[in-house]
Amino acid sequence: MTAVLLPSLTDGPDALAVTVGDESMTRSELVGAASAVARRVGGASSVAMVANATMDTVIGVVGCLLAGVPAVPLPPDSGPAERRHILTDSGAQLLLGNPIDGVDLPTVPVDLDERADAPAVEPGPESTALIMYTSGTTGLPKGVVLSRRAIAASLDGLADAWQWNADDTLVHGLPLFHVHGLVLGVIGALRHGSPLVHTVRPKAQAYAAAGGSLYFGVPTVWSRVCADPESARALSSARLLVSGSAPLPTPVFAAMRELTGHDPIERYGMSETVITISTRADGERRPGWVGLPISGVRTRLWDDAGNPVPHDGETLGRLQIAGPTLFDGYLRNPEKTAAEFTSDSWFMTGDMAVIDRGGFHRIVGRESVDLIKSGGYRIGAGEVEHALLSHPSVSEVAVVGVPDVDLGQRIVAYVVGDDVDGDVLSEFVASTLSIHKRPREIRRIDALPRNAMGKVRKKELLADD
């Protein structure tokens, strides 16, 4: 087999490849089971599967990759309308796994004990590997078409940045229908030959018991790990702790440093770009900053008029990305695809960022909800959130801009915490940052609305106004 994406599965001696919960498979067992799936799905235009955190999902994805058939991961908690849209839009011809009520597609079972010979030739780098559907916060979910080339480029760039290799054991318990859990957390481990231990759920005690060297988590996971000091201290023997999918609050960064002895790695990416920016294993790790572009990736910041933004660590700009990790487009939506690229083929991420003189990046947030224009100032919600999180009465916070007749937008902070005093918190921000960045309103709530990856659903908060 010509290995383009998964060389470790066929190169070198047989060894443990994947553990999911109580089930484990060696490389040869995984290749045999996945090849049986590949034989069954070969020739399909695309194949959907409910991406539960199970060995079936790992085998199914690898089987599709071996067969050169695009895999379409379905979120396990998707409702009938969302599931129907994804299946229809993707044109999936087969459903891997168990039948689903109301889904009229031929079902292909996944048998952990079945074996077949691997295909003689792995598909080329330009072929589609995955169709990942975005969360659809501004409409129906869009199918992001990711080639094998794009996935490989991102994973190899991260291997360079993190010194990730077959000597590592990767541990995580993230969902397998997102880039973080599936592309990095499964395909990345298989590409680089590092055994994967998936804990099914990202619980602190399970992370501590896994004995890994490389750990993935989202900020919510790391916050919960730090809330269990004994489990957190057990991670002191790890090599790297990586956080992504949402900004890591500075207090959690500090708690990880204190309890584990490690400054976490922070990185940036999205479905359309895979992972493009990261701090490095051998470099600086600065709370709130996601580091430098990985190998082959270029970034730039533009202002509202389309002019370059200075790299001074302060001036906000629209983040644009170019390089080999970019997606091939939105499935069946050329108009939307074209609208997301500049005339010179840079992808417009929709995120606001700053870059310092050394090239370090800080992501301020989404332009649509995190760039606040108040009283003539451009304010990033992220810096106000980081300031509030450094106050002892605040455990979680989300900052938004709501319409205001006088200011254009006023800064409103939704705060989770005890003994929350709005005036005290507002003045705290004014003394920490600048007066014009203080929240005009503090709203205490019991919990922030979040998606499966821990990202706050700010549009749900804005719907209150």
Side-chain angles (χ1 to χ4, degrees):
M1 183 171 67
T2 302
V4 174
L5 188 56
L6 303 175
S8 75
L9 290 184
T10 53
D11 293 349
D14 195 19
L16 185 66
V18 179
T19 299
V20 183
D22 297 327
E23 295 178 321
S24 296
M25 299 189 86
T26 65
R27 294 174 185 173
S28 61
E29 290 170 341
L30 177 58
V31 169
S35 297
V37 170
R39 185 177 60 186
R40 294 174 182 269
V41 303
S45 60
S46 61
V47 174
M49 69 193 76
V50 178
N52 292 301
T54 63
M55 189 68 79
D56 287 15
T57 298
V58 176
I59 293 171
V61 169
V62 175
C64 289
L65 292 174
L66 294 178
V69 173
V72 183
L74 294 170
D77 61 350
S78 59
E82 180 181 354
R83 186 168 57 236
R84 189 181 312 112
H85 165 71
I86 292 174
L87 292 173
T88 301
D89 186 68
S90 68
Q93 293 182 320
L94 299 171
L95 178 68
L96 273 180
N98 299 319
I100 301 175
D101 290 342
V103 175
D104 186 22
L105 280 177
T107 302
V108 175
V110 176
D111 186 344
L112 273 64
D113 297 319
E114 188 176 9
R115 300 289 184 267
D117 292 334
V121 178
E122 190 173 327
E126 301 305 320
S127 61
T128 299
L130 298 171
I131 303 173
M132 308 285 288
Y133 277 80
T134 62
S135 58
T137 56
T138 58
L140 292 171
K142 302 182 292 296
V144 174
V145 179
L146 290 175
S147 69
R148 303 166 82 89
R149 166 195 49 76
I151 291 173
S154 181
L155 294 177
D156 289 351
L158 292 176
D160 171 67
W162 299 346
Q163 300 172 6
W164 182 5
N165 58 48
D167 292 332
D168 282 307
T169 294
L170 171 61
V171 179
H172 74 90
L174 300 172
L176 299 185
F177 52 92
H178 285 288
V179 163
H180 195 168
L182 180 59
V183 177
L184 271 66
V186 175
I187 300 175
L190 297 177
R191 180 169 179 79
H192 300 316
S194 54
L196 166 64
V197 177
H198 194 288
T199 60
V200 181
R201 295 181 182 278
K203 293 185 176 180
Q205 292 181 349
Y207 272 35
S213 62
L214 177 61
Y215 284 80
F216 291 170
V218 299
T220 301
V221 170
W222 293 122
S223 177
R224 292 172 181 173
V225 167
C226 291
D228 182 346
E230 183 178 354
S231 294
R233 293 188 185 100
L235 303 186
S236 61
S237 60
R239 189 175 66 83
L240 290 180
L241 309 179
V242 181
S243 184
S245 297
L248 183 68
T250 298
V252 179
F253 188 108
M256 293 175 69
R257 171 188 289 164
E258 178 182 357
L259 292 169
T260 70
H262 294 289
D263 285 354
I265 290 284
E266 296 187 66
R267 90 297 182 281
Y268 167 79
M270 54 197 305
S271 298
E272 292 89 340
T273 67
V274 201
I275 305 304
T276 53
I277 305 170
S278 181
T279 52
R280 297 181 58 89
D282 58 357
E284 179 187 3
R285 306 175 204 176
R286 190 188 310 168
W289 295 73
V290 295
L292 304 165
I294 64 171
S295 178
V297 171
R298 295 173 292 151
T299 64
R300 69 186 187 188
L301 297 180
W302 277 16
D303 63 18
D304 292 345
N307 299 312
V309 168
H311 292 186
D312 57 10
E314 295 289 340
T315 306
L316 294 177
R318 294 183 170 93
L319 179 63
Q320 299 178 4
I321 289 176
T325 71
L326 294 183
F327 72 134
D328 288 341
Y330 296 111
L331 187 67
R332 308 183 205 284
N333 200 338
E335 294 82 7
K336 177 63 175 174
T337 301
E340 299 302 312
F341 283 85
T342 65
S343 59
D344 54 350
S345 301
W346 287 67
F347 177 69
M348 298 181 285
T349 66
D351 284 319
M352 303 297 296
V354 300
I355 303 176
D356 73 7
R357 291 177 177 83
F360 246 54
H361 292 59
R362 178 167 62 87
I363 308 300
V364 175
R366 300 297 292 172
E367 181 181 358
S368 57
V369 294
D370 291 314
L371 176 62
I372 302 171
K373 299 177 181 179
S374 181
Y377 293 99
R378 291 160 55 89
I379 302 159
E383 61 178 334
V384 182
E385 290 165 352
H386 277 287
L388 285 167
L389 282 167
S390 64
H391 193 280
S393 69
V394 178
S395 57
E396 294 183 278
V397 64
V399 170
V400 297
V402 304
D404 186 274
V405 174
D406 179 45
L407 297 170
Q409 287 180 304
R410 69 180 183 278
I411 302 172
V412 175
Y414 288 82
V415 173
V416 178
D418 299 322
D419 301 321
V420 172
D421 185 312
D423 291 338
V424 169
L425 292 180
S426 181
E427 289 306 313
F428 178 77
V429 173
S431 63
T432 305
L433 299 176
S434 302
I435 292 178
H436 68 267
K437 295 178 181 179
R438 73 188 187 281
R440 301 296 180 124
E441 192 175 345
I442 302 287
R443 300 179 183 178
R444 187 190 179 283
I445 57 176
D446 293 330
L448 297 175
R450 296 180 182 272
N451 65 16
M453 296 305 293
K455 294 181 180 179
V456 178
R457 298 181 182 271
K458 288 193 174 182
K459 291 194 175 182
E460 292 184 17
L461 300 175
L462 287 167
D464 294 339
D465 287 276

